[in-house]
């Protein structure tokens, strides 16, 4: 699910981009930026029933753990030209290198608390993997 | 055209967001991130015939000059919870505080070089203000 984004560089600086239907798997209906996160805090720790997300560490390093109920993967996001697509139905959390790290999340849906799953047992039920 | 974005803060950090139809005036079809820009470089210096843009300084400070052919304004973007909407038909350039500054741009259209206007006289003609 990591996606290498196009990068243009010249003597004025760098530019990386993504377009819907090309690198971006959906048209974003929402963005959010997480910043000044405490380095020992775990953020996220939930899944989405229907919302897909695309994550980019715009500054610093963010370590993302994804868990589809069967496999747990760790992704290191440490450059603006690296995206991570997290489809709906995947549990994820994030850890920040320091307070200067800044994570951009593009989301396929507007905010709806009802489509969050914040209980891991409920997540396994949702995946058809519950007891 | 500056837009104050919602900000949530708790003991884990800060989160600012925007949603299409609320703070965001269009559904983005493209994003780009400018980073490691040379502080003495001027970027942008063009207008768009049809593409609207929404700018956020995710890190550092970016000074944006906008010019609609009649009025020239300077906007200081220095926090992730401050957006700047630049509609189509506005000339703009950007200056970066340092190489750590990072600008996120959400665009209403896919990239199309034909809708850029990079000549200021042509821009004035486009605005009906040419000689």
């Amino acid at each position: 699910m990591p996606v290498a984004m196009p990068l243009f560089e010249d003597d004025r600086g760098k530019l990386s981009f993504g377009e819907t239907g090309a690198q971006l798997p959906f048209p974003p209906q929402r963005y959010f930026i997480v910043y000044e996160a405490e380095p020992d805090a775990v953020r996220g720790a939930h899944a989405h029933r229907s919302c897909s997300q695309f994550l980019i560490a715009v500054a610093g390093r963010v370590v993302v753990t994804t868990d589809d109920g069967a496999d747990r993967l760790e992704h290191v996001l440490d450059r603006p030209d690296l995206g991570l697509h997290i489809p709906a139905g995947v549990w994820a959390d994030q850890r920040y290198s320091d307070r200067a790290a800044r994570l951009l999340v593009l989301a396929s849906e507007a905010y709806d608390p009802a489509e969050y799953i914040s209980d891991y047992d409920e997540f396994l039920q949702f995946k058809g993997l519950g007891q």
Side-chain angles (χ1 to χ4, degrees), chain A:
Chain A
M1 297 176 294
V3 184
M5 311 304 287
L7 172 63
F8 291 105
E9 184 170 2
D10 62 23
D11 55 10
R12 299 171 308 153
K14 295 178 177 169
L15 183 153
S16 180
F17 75 90
E19 287 191 353
T20 297
Q23 304 83 10
L24 267 185
F26 52 80
Q29 297 301 316
R30 174 171 53 125
Y31 79 84
F32 58 89
I33 298 165
V34 179
Y35 59 110
E36 297 177 20
E38 293 302 328
D40 53 356
V42 177
R43 297 191 67 114
H46 59 246
H48 293 271
R49 295 176 194 276
S50 55
C51 184
S52 294
Q53 300 192 314
F54 197 87
L55 281 62
I56 298 161
V58 178
R61 191 178 76 251
V62 182
V63 177
V64 183
T65 304
T66 58
D67 176 354
D68 63 4
D71 294 312
R72 181 175 285 261
L73 297 172
E74 194 173 272
H75 312 268
V76 177
L77 303 182
D78 58 359
R79 44 192 300 172
D81 60 338
L82 177 62
L84 179 67
H85 177 208
I86 302 182
V90 174
W91 186 271
D93 65 37
Q94 300 89 40
R95 289 171 180 79
Y96 293 75
S97 58
D98 55 58
R99 288 170 56 91
R102 306 206 160 182
L103 181 70
L104 168 66
V105 179
L106 303 173
S108 65
E109 299 183 359
Y111 176 69
D112 174 9
E115 69 88 32
Y116 281 63
I117 305 174
S118 298
D119 179 87
Y120 192 75
D121 287 335
E122 186 185 344
F123 168 65
L124 292 178
Q125 296 273 355
F126 177 75
K127 299 296 282 185
L129 299 167
Q131 305 279 309

